[in-house]
Amino acid sequence: MDDAGEGAFAARLKAYEGRPAAVAGVGKDRVNAPMIRHWCEAMGDTNPAYAGPDAIAPPTMLQAWTMGGLSGHTGRTRAYDELLGLLDEAGCTSVVATDCEQEYLRPLRPGDEVTFDAVIESVSDRKRTRLGAGYFVTTRMDVRVGGERVGTHRFRILKYAPARHATTKDATTKDAPTKDASTQRPPAPDRPAHRRPRPVINRDNAGFWEGVARHRLLIQRCTGCDTLRFPWLPGCSACGYPEWDTVEAAGAGTVHSYVVMHHPPFPAFSPPYAVALIELAEGVRIVSNVTGVPYDKVRIGMPVRLEFVRCDDELELPVFRAQDGNGG
């Protein structure tokens, strides 16, 4: 697409800004205690405000009450489907959620029936990303109970055309430019073609990555109630106290759960591989890789021990080596 064509296409996309994305949507379930309990168990959130006769829902569940699930989206408009269809026709057939922002105006309680409306807030100009070139689409959803707005949820996705990465086969086709053999460097079989994605480091988790650089796995500890927490958060989910210190993990753990990734493939990763939820001896859990055994030998309950693996000149990561005799 030339510059003129790209400009015209961008204008077509911009015309959808301000149009509704969902109208008169109704949550498929009222706010309810079982969903709150499952959420808290999955997140390891033991805040007493989320249990008992006067329970409220965790604020970050705001989107959960509006999700359509596998059976489809509630109240989604033709305008939003048209926008996504235009992007599909332009080759932007892949989608990834990039971030969300939430504003809470009052707590939700069991029995509340949630309704919502959403608007297409913005469509970006064409952006080039490591995944591929595409467009960021932001929707703003206003969530209500009994007509009263209780929260706002902004959700941003990237609709993109997957980048085509050169392969060894591509580089050796007859159409590829030739070079003098004396100037060619043989490929290093142990050198990945792509770097691992960089972790997002911010003011809330910088201390964790500083610990990793010193080969220390640091766990936050609330100085108000002594509750350990991971991943790192700006405040305690148990008592809300903002002050904390750290304790160093001893390194022992077990596989609490795991998945084997087959698809989709990502640069720098060679599927299939296992991604595990490790329960540390201290009681908190961390997502990491299990080393020392083939991916199909990872098992729930398998004992593991912390080690640090250097991925490249800049990146070092904590992983866990199996300790059950199958390579540990």
Side-chain angles (χ1 to χ4, degrees), residues 73-222:
H73 301 276
T74 300
R76 199 161 86 172
T77 64
R78 173 180 288 186
Y80 190 67
D81 287 334
E82 286 177 357
L83 173 60
L84 298 185
L86 279 175
L87 292 168
D88 286 338
E89 292 172 10
C92 299
T93 54
S94 295
V95 62
V96 62
T98 60
D99 60 282
C100 70
E101 302 171 13
Q102 293 184 338
E103 177 186 9
Y104 314 117
L105 301 179
R106 80 140 169 95
L108 292 171
R109 294 180 172 83
D112 283 344
E113 183 177 51
V114 165
T115 61
F116 56 91
D117 298 281
V119 64
I120 302 167
E121 192 167 66
S122 66
V123 184
S124 75
D125 295 329
R126 189 167 182 262
K127 303 293 185 182
R128 295 188 180 277
T129 74
R130 187 167 295 188
L131 292 174
Y135 301 82
F136 290 93
V137 178
T138 304
T139 55
R140 187 193 75 245
M141 177 180 290
D142 290 324
V143 182
R144 295 180 173 84
V145 172
E148 174 193 4
R149 190 162 68 94
V150 297
T152 297
H153 176 79
R154 279 185 173 83
F155 192 63
R156 186 172 295 110
I157 63 171
L158 171 66
K159 281 280 285 179
Y160 66 98
R164 183 176 181 274
H165 298 286
T167 64
T168 302
K169 182 178 179 180
D170 295 330
T172 57
T173 58
K174 64 180 181 180
D175 296 326
T178 58
K179 295 182 180 180
D180 188 294
S182 63
T183 65
Q184 296 186 34
R185 294 177 59 190
D190 58 346
R191 184 182 300 158
H194 300 273
R195 297 195 317 164
R196 285 256 192 151
R198 307 293 98 172
V200 176
I201 301 176
N202 54 41
R203 63 182 182 181
D204 293 328
N205 65 11
F208 170 76
W209 291 106
E210 290 168 3
V212 169
R214 302 194 303 272
H215 286 191
R216 302 177 66 204
L217 185 63
L218 299 178
I219 304 168
Q220 281 183 311
R221 177 175 58 191
C222 174

Side-chain angles (χ1 to χ4, degrees), residues 52-81:
D54 298 320
I56 61 173
T60 48
M61 285 188 76
L62 184 66
Q63 186 190 18
W65 311 112
T66 67
M67 296 177 73
L70 297 178
S71 58
H73 301 276
T74 300
R76 199 161 86 172
T77 64
R78 173 180 288 186
Y80 190 67
D81 287 334

